[in-house]
Amino acid sequence: MDKLVIDGGTRVRGRVRISGSKNATLPIMAACLLTGKECVLHQVPDLDDVKVMENVLAGLGASVKREASTLIIDPGSVNAWEIPEHTSRKMRASNLVMGALLGKFGQAKVSYPGGCAIGQRPMDIHLGGLRQLGYKVEECYGYIEGYFSEAVDSDITLDFPSVGATENLMMAAVISSRNTVIRNAAREPEIVDLQNFLNKMGARIRGAGLGVIRIEGVPELNGVEHEVIPDRIEAGTFMIMAAASRGDIIVENVVFEHLGAITSKVRETGAEVIAYNGGSLRILGNRKLGSADIKTMPYPGFPTDAQPQMMAFLSGVEGTSVMVETIFENRYMHVNELRRMGADIKVEGRVAILKGKSRLRGTTVEATDLRAGAALIVAGVSGSGETQIENAFHIDRGYEKIEEKLHSLGVKAFRIRD
Ligand code: EPZ
């Protein structure tokens, strides 16, 4: 497995441009299945998870071509509705095609995505919602099989504002002779981007981002062109890295409104965040920084996907910080790795108590999942000495050209490929 080696003690300086959002791209790629016409997606990040979704669509019969950061998807010859088990298990988000296949073809078969490093990741909210939409959904031998049964007007309230369930239900409801309301829907910007994409295709959806989504069914959708929003978690990762390393950087291609919770927590530690017109911001960490308490919440609260990175940062500043991870039941896999770098962290269930120190020390650590890997980069850059991050492939799932971006900020980083 490959390693990412980072020479620590660097105050990051310079500019970094944020790529398109992985978590907006994946559902929008799935939504292309809802039309038989070609869709053109711009600002699509070249990530391993996006490649998996490209293969899912190709496996169903669609043609997918990449030209730089543009994807051209022609679903005209899609002639299958089953996602192979190894794909579902490889990437949970491949299950986002379930809603689109049901919405377009009235049938879908996917295997249970299974748990992962951060939690069990069940599908009960997805399946309960699909049944309320009038689909028959059966679960057997590790597979989920759904098919259209009857068109009904639906008014669904989700037990939890699940991002994936909200997206699957939107896609399953958009082509219909009936209307749908989804309450307690996820409010993430990626949901709004999906709504905008579907409405460009001819859908009639409103309320994304506000918690209640209203969908007026339409008979069909057209192929469109769309630019994916920038990746707010990648942007947050570099903001946290700048504060942690006491650096001074400009982050370009951001939507400032998507970064509210991260901005306010980075400012609470004493770092400065200055927003400029035109979608860029500056972070200065060159002051005495202190602790901050973090509780992850559904958007617009503090994003769980930035919790590991924040833990790496707060472990290296004087003071005690309390973190509560409310979204996933097992999202502290990075704690042991940070402890190997000298972090003083106690975990009790979903609560982590950090006793910050002046600085972490580089050593060999292991990335256990995507954002844990990002946390180890933050710790490696801001800590002293060399850090070797094993299983760096996890990082490539969500961070495009990570070495290049680190180099643009003055960080000495290179890859050792086994
Ligand atoms: C999306 O995952 C993101 N992935 C995750 O980002 C992100 O952490 C998560 O939303 C929460 O914001 C993509 O968008 C591709 P959920 P998703 O359904 O949709 C429970 C990253 O690093 N739940 O909102 O799978 C679930 O177990 C990834 O980019 C049920 O109980 O997340 C979890 O505890 C990691 N039953 C909570 O809800 C269900 O049917 C939130 O899950 C569905 C979810």
Side-chain angles (χ1 to χ4, degrees):
M1 294 290 180
D2 59 341
K3 278 184 202 170
L4 182 61
V5 182
I6 291 174
D7 196 5
T10 316
R11 290 171 178 250
V12 290
R13 285 259 187 296
R15 289 172 173 272
V16 63
R17 181 174 176 75
I18 298 304
S19 302
S21 161
K22 166 177 83 80
N23 292 350
T25 294
L26 295 172
I28 286 174
M29 287 175 73
C32 292
L33 293 170
L34 287 162
T35 176
K37 310 271 186 11
E38 182 179 274
C39 293
V40 179
L41 307 180
H42 298 294
Q43 192 164 251
V44 175
D46 190 1
L47 300 169
D48 291 355
D49 273 14
V50 173
K51 287 195 188 76
V52 170
M53 187 59 91
E54 287 176 36
N55 294 336
V56 167
L57 298 184
L60 294 169
S63 96
V64 185
K65 282 198 297 291
R66 177 180 277 273
E67 289 169 10
S69 63
T70 293
L71 274 193
I72 299 144
I73 298 173
D74 183 349
S77 44
V78 167
N79 55 10
W81 19 88
E82 179 170 349
I83 307 298
E85 182 188 2
H86 63 84
T87 308
S88 294
R89 298 184 74 81
K90 182 171 184 177
M91 183 182 74
R92 174 187 175 83
S94 52
N95 283 298
L96 287 172
V97 300
M98 181 167 57
L101 289 172
L102 288 171
K104 180 74 166 64
F105 301 105
Q107 55 185 14
K109 184 174 180 184
V110 298
S111 88
Y112 255 100
C116 63
I118 60 178
Q120 277 308 307
R121 319 284 300 269
M123 296 284 287
D124 55 319
I125 301 173
H126 296 245
L127 305 188
L130 289 172
R131 290 182 177 117
Q132 292 184 65
L133 282 178
Y135 292 99
K136 280 258 173 292
V137 179
E138 281 156 16
E139 305 160 67
C140 50
Y141 306 113
Y143 267 92
I144 300 167
E145 200 152 4
Y147 43 92
F148 178 76
S149 168
E150 59 170 331
V152 292
D153 286 322
S154 313
D155 193 320
I156 303 166
T157 299
L158 303 186
D159 290 351
F160 179 86
S162 155
V163 171
T166 301
E167 291 163 344
N168 250 330
L169 297 178
M170 285 167 75
M171 291 189 274
V174 74
I175 298 177
S176 170
S177 57
R178 296 304 181 93
N179 302 326
T180 300
V181 179
I182 306 172
R183 300 180 195 276
N184 196 26
R187 296 162 57 188
E188 275 71 2
E190 294 76 33
I191 306 279
V192 178
D193 208 23
L194 177 61
Q195 169 183 277
N196 294 342
F197 177 70
L198 290 168
N199 283 345
K200 270 188 199 171
M201 295 172 89
R204 291 205 194 106
I205 310 176
R206 54 199 164 83
L210 304 175
V212 180
I213 297 176
R214 298 176 191 283
I215 302 170
E216 191 185 324
V218 294
E220 63 173 358
L221 297 178
N222 301 308
V224 291
E225 198 153 350
H226 182 77
E227 178 170 284
V228 169
I229 56 172
D231 194 310
R232 61 191 170 95
I233 302 300
E234 184 189 23
T237 301
F238 284 107
M239 291 169 71
I240 293 166
M241 188 188 298
S245 65
R246 302 341 185 240
D248 176 355
I249 68 171
I250 303 276
V251 181
E252 296 172 333
N253 192 33
V254 299
V255 177
F256 192 62
E257 297 71 43
H258 296 167
L259 295 163
I262 294 175
T263 298
S264 97
K265 281 299 168 184
V266 166
R267 283 175 170 161
E268 194 178 317
T269 67
E272 208 177 339
V273 180
I274 305 160
Y276 296 127
N277 292 333
S280 63
L281 52 81
R282 182 178 178 193
I283 304 95
L284 296 100
N286 50 358
R287 300 166 150 185
K288 174 135 179 52
L289 301 180
S291 61
D293 294 341
I294 305 284
K295 180 173 183 179
T296 65
M297 294 295 280
Y299 190 89
F302 191 89
T304 176
D305 292 346
Q307 175 262 104
Q309 301 90 310
M310 210 59 193
M311 182 180 277
F313 166 27
L314 295 171
S315 298
V317 295
E318 297 289 338
T320 299
S321 300
V322 178
M323 303 191 87
V324 186
E325 171 53 61
T326 71
I327 306 294
F328 290 105
E329 71 271 21
N330 185 35
R331 198 168 204 169
Y332 285 141
M333 303 287 278
H334 44 286
V335 168
N336 280 339
E337 302 309 307
L338 291 173
R339 283 181 180 138
R340 290 168 56 78
M341 299 179 75
D344 179 348
I345 306 170
K346 280 187 181 42
V347 173
E348 270 304 321
R350 294 194 178 218
V351 179
I353 316 277
L354 290 70
K355 288 208 175 66
K357 336 185 71 152
S358 51
R359 177 172 264 186
L360 300 179
R361 273 185 332 282
T363 183
T364 299
V365 288
E366 184 191 342
T368 51
D369 62 87
L370 164 55
R371 305 304 175 183
L376 296 173
I377 292 177
V378 170
V381 168
S382 55
S384 60
E386 181 184 271
T387 297
Q388 297 208 1
I389 303 173
E390 296 179 332
N391 290 344
F393 65 88
H394 284 291
I395 299 165
D396 300 327
R397 294 187 52 187
Y399 292 87
E400 186 182 39
K401 301 191 181 81
I402 186 64
E403 286 104 308
E404 214 173 288
K405 287 175 176 167
L406 289 171
H407 295 157
S408 73
L409 297 175
V411 176
K412 292 189 203 64
F414 60 94
R415 186 90 56 146
I416 302 175
R417 293 195 191 280
D418 277 10

